[in-house]
Amino acid sequence: MMSGTITVEAVMGVNDNILGGLQYYPNPVNDVFTLISSENIDRVEVYDINGRLLMLSESPNPIIKVYMENFNPGTYFVKTTMGNESKNIAVIKQ
């Protein structure tokens, strides 16, 4: 598993992508991918294109930052879990 950091931080003014109440930006990403929800995001998982789990965070918060600066350019999948609902987001790392 690749080491990385996921932190929580208050952010205002989101105008990017929205997926069923979950907002996320930027996509494509250079360094930091942000997730914002009206409810707590219980779990965040980051997978590479081959399905390998690279990062995992189980820290319930409505705002999550995924630091991807050490990831190679390519496509990654971010899976978020909120209660019994999961959402998958394809993220392009530049």
Side-chain angles (χ1 to χ4, degrees):
M1 187 179 308
M2 178 183 284
S3 66
T5 304
I6 298 176
T7 62
V8 179
E9 180 179 310
V11 177
M12 298 179 70
V14 177
N15 293 321
D16 286 311
N17 300 313
I18 299 174
L19 177 65
L22 177 68
Q23 300 174 350
Y24 56 92
Y25 65 93
N27 195 7
V29 62
N30 286 317
D31 298 322
V32 181
F33 184 69
T34 302
L35 300 152
I36 300 174
S37 176
S38 57
E39 59 185 273
N40 278 345
I41 302 167
D42 299 315
R43 182 180 173 110
V44 175
E45 302 165 47
V46 179
Y47 294 89
D48 68 11
I49 195 76
N50 296 315
R52 289 181 298 192
L53 179 64
L54 303 177
M55 296 174 79
L56 168 66
S57 173
E58 292 181 307
S59 177
N61 284 288
I63 301 170
I64 305 289
K65 289 191 175 268
V66 180
Y67 291 87
M68 301 179 75
E69 66 271 2
N70 292 325
F71 286 36
N72 292 325
T75 302
Y76 295 87
F77 299 98
V78 176
K79 179 179 179 183
T80 62
T81 304
M82 297 166 285
N84 293 327
E85 185 178 355
S86 292
K87 296 183 189 320
N88 294 300
I89 304 163
V91 178
I92 306 299
K93 167 66 168 91
Q94 295 183 326

